[in-house]
Amino acid sequence: MISLLQVQDLHVAYISGAGKVSPALEGVSFDVLPGETLGVLGESGSGKSTLALALVRLLPGNAEIQKGAIQFEGQDLLRARPRALERVRGARIGLVFQEPSLALHPTIRIGKQVSDVLAAHEAASRAARHQKTLQLLREVFPADASRIADSYPHQLSGGQQQRVLIAQAIACGPSLIIADEPTASLDPTTQQEILELFRMLREKFNLSLILITHNPPLLAGLADRVLVLYAGKVVEIGPTEQVLGSPQHPYTHALMQSVPPGLDEPAKDRKSRLRVIPGEAPNLAVLMNGCRFESRCTDRMEQCAEREPPAVAMSEVHAVSCFKYGE
Amino acid sequence: MIQLSGWKRWLLAIVVLHGIVACAGFFAPYDPTEQDREHPYLPPMRIHLVDTQGHFHFRPFFYAEQLRVGSFDQFEEHSQQAIPLRFFVTGARYDLLGLLPFRTHLFGAEASRVYLLGSDAYGRDQLSRILYGGQISLLAGMLGAGLTLLIGVLIGATAGYLGGWRDGLLMRVAELFMALPWLYLLFALRAFLPLSVSPVQAFFLIILVIGAVGWARPARLVRGVVLSARERDFVRAARGFGATDSYLLRRHILPETSSVILTQAAILVPQFVLAEMTLSFLGLGVPEPVPSWGSLLASLQQYSVLVSYWWMYLPALAIVPFFLGYLGLASALQQDAGTEKIVRTAGGSRW
Amino acid sequence: MRYFLRRWMQAVFLLIGVSILTFLFSAIAPGNYFDEMRLNPQISPETVAALRAQYQLDRPLPVRYARWVNSLLHGEMGFSFANNSPVAPLLWARARNTLLLTLTATLIAWALALPLGIWSAETRGRLPDRALSGATAALLVIPELVLALGLLILAVRSGWFPTGGMFSVGFEILSPMQKFRDVAWHMELPVLALVLSALPILVRHVRAAVAEVLDAPFLRAAASHGIPQRTLHYKYALRAAANPLISLFGFSLGVLLSGSLLVEVVMSWPGLGPLLLEAILARDLYVVIGGVLCSTIFLVAGNFFADVLMYWADPRIRTGAAAK
Amino acid sequence: MDRLLIVEKIEKRYGRAHVLGAKQEVTALLDVSFSIGRGSTLALVGESGSGKSTLALCIACLERPTSGKIVFNRNEITVLDEKQLREVRPQIQLVFQDPARSLNPRFSALELVSEPLLVQGRLDKREREARARALLGQVGIPQEKALQRAEEFSGGQRQRLAIARALSLEPKLLILDEALSALDCSVQAQIANLLMELQGRLGLTYLFITHDFAMAGHLAHEIAVMEQGRVVEIGAADEVLGTPNQEVTRRLIAAMPRLTAEAHAPRAV
């Protein structure tokens, strides 16, 4: 199958006012197939939010894409003109953000905000847009779409606001949705509802989905493949069951160990200590030669501090960047 | 070289400017009240290095001025009488910083008085009057700002920390003061105080009036900071390990207000210098013969002065470097605090 | 509607408060019109006492306040001793001129400040923004007193503008059109002084308000939906910045009213400024109180207008979510 | 078993007086009763707005319940006045969700941890510093970082600082108000382990407030479930998790994200 999105060797860095460069992403490569869901797993400081913004070229002014290529539906987004980008954003790629309460304009009605997205990409009459807006809102609010359309953001709950953002993201029939921690600020039950909604919409519109999160269990049962980011680098990528079930990279392995066991485990196991990763994530502003995880790794070898480990293919679909599996 | 960051550089500039005014006695060639009836409204003198014969002199000199023949207010240079400018001369006695008696002046001349910035109706030296006038205006501004901030912080912190009806009452009163355009309020307060008073009384009267006018805005700002600080988790935590109110205020809450207070100070001082100038300009401030920047400008209210003696406007320009310094300090402080919000609530440099 | 009712009540309480406050201060004040009169050897102490009694200045404060409120309700606002006339007509003649000056300056200043501020925010950190910031800083360090005097000297020396007043000699015989032009010509200089003194503050505030919104997450979200930049800046950003800008409007009115007071005195414009100054020098109590109250009414009215705008612009107020 | 804390029928209502309108009242807690045994952990689970944090503030003596009684260490603390409360508060310490906000950013690590001792007037300056350094060691903060300011620490380290500070007065009860929620998975695990280790070593009692059933199941001996200001279910952790009685509990348990994919509806490929 031909990939929908192909990211190659992406490097992004933040440049401080004093000209100090601290890399956020280094050599990130992956692809997304049509209709596929890719989970991006990373803890704070791993560069996962930077990745989301870099994909649609909405990085803040102090960030710089240093090199790489982002092929999407046959064009390189890193070389696209601003007008071409406006035609891609919202129309072909939809974005869903972490804080829904901040991502909606506070003084414009919901319906208007959704139809503005349509207006930006489609030449249609006002009445047609209104119809389409209601239809879109019905996808996410089967019960009371028209009441929601007349509301202002502050009148909605966090979960409802997130649904509106999703409606905006799918408004123009995109082929890819990028969701950056879409459920982090929500209650557990609302969280499940939103994930369920993603699952439903994905089937219905044959969407590809990039789901970015710090919480591994969220990806189980939703993502087809998982990409693990650590300190700006891809450490492991592969099918979800393999990456979460039998992680190969020492970091992924340790991360999965540190998740509290589920209810299916016997009670006495639950009261034991969790396995933890010692130490702290590295400071990226300090130049490093070797593996980023070297100082915290239990399996470290001599070469780990000297060179960066290359990606090693465990199988056709599973790759790990670690010297444990050869050069 | 010491590298000074942001606001400290501006603070240094302000300190230097104030230093010059504070040592007015040294920089001013004459006593500000000393009259020279021979030379009323003398335009600023030209300082020469080359004489009429084309000879170059290392020591700057000026020509004595004499009345033009047939005129009673037009002067011309007396080209035969070149008077050299002397530095560190001994002249009128003054108290440096109000303490040390001194007689040395930065510059002066022997045969005739030198008027670098011209003279006024009584032949008083404008430069000296500007320098001495600055002492009154700046001191009034600073003391007024100090008084305002004291009242403002006291009321703001009380209202914010106590909350409840006391907060409501104090803030309603603050709104009362802010509902008035500030110059009207200043006028009203001044109107109800005695008109003809001695210069010293007038000076303190003005500080009192200015101080009473401006407290509402800093009070509201401080209250806002205190109110939000009081609800901070770290204040809760400190209460949790048994901290008393006075400890919380001292260690956790008031330090939060420091950047607001500093910024307000940088905004209020020039505002209040201007307030003093305005009152004195309108004849409601420090009376003659004591100079202040405002009363120096008062003569411009006469049409004839406006038309003929442009140098009477020079005192107005003296405040520009001071304003620049304070504006720079305020912006640098705000940038330091990392919020443009304070700029907005503080309202630029005027109400 | 409860919102308006509440605002209206607040405004009324505010005016009552200001009037009581000014009365209170006037009561503490040593000296009044008749004390100055007593210094005049040609007027006998008995006459002064009689006059004091006639105007009931010897009565306690609450009584005087009640009498003053009563005369206010009769459209007089007390009595001016110096002008020997009720205060209200005096004030009204002058207040009109002050309003003319202030409102014209407000309109012009806002018409300039909005586009300049937005432009500055849009080009943050780049050349237009830096140039504008420099220009506003330069204007900001020149206080209005200095500015007004400087402009006046310019007028006197160049002869381009009239040097004060509101009318030319022989104003009465001019046709309405000529009258209008004559007043407009006299207004140029004071309005220029007011606009130049208010403009830097307004531009800076507009810039800050818009710049803050341009950084807001919802604008980035809207951009991620492909909404074009023009719509983003002129529709989304301005609407979101409306709130601080509207409250800035009330504030700007206060600045300009104060500024106007000074400019009027310097340029001898027959507004409240000169009247108030004369009244202060003559200790003409009720005129001072009236003038202060008058300015408060202007400001309160301006703020009320801003509240109406705010209600219209912000649904959070309409739906009562901002009540807390 | 000996109960360290007994909460009986407490209620908390907030009244908001209004100038024009009538007084509005919000009920945050309604008829809440439970108890915690010495040296054990009770997890309080509920969604946002269920009244968990209000309850925490009431128990920490930072808010007064409108009615009901709280007995701590055999003393009824709901009847004490402000001065007496100041004596009790050190024995009950709170750790907040966001350490960035619960630590004064102007203070150094050492100042932060020794502040409670200073406030309580315990020990002299040298002893305080020695004690603070020992505490930093206990929570795994390296000694060379003792003089860094709070804002220079990472999120996990800040939470360690907050715990060290809470421990400095040797409290009997530690209230952990969503203390792990803002942290990354791997950091959560580190702090969870630290908490278990401290409990074992110092015999601490925990009130663990969370919306995360997985972590509650891992840390707690007993679980109480809250909804709309009430405790709707309470019992031993395994019973509540294994055989939930209430609809809310079942819903919350069902919403727990699980690593094993079978938990979810299989996806048609």
Side-chain angles (χ1 to χ4, degrees), chain A residues 15-38:
Chain A
I15 293 151
S16 75
K20 202 173 156 193
V21 178
S22 49
L25 291 174
E26 284 199 307
V28 171
S29 304
F30 64 91
D31 58 350
V32 179
L33 301 175
E36 183 191 37
T37 298
L38 176 72

Side-chain angles (χ1 to χ4, degrees), chain B residues 6-7 10 263 328-343, chain C residues 207:
Chain B
W7 62 274
W10 288 103
T263 314
L329 181 66
S331 329
L333 280 171
Q334 277 154 0
Q335 227 159 45
D336 231 39
T339 44
E340 270 182 293
K341 272 203 176 117
I342 305 174
V343 189
Chain C
R207 178 193 179 275

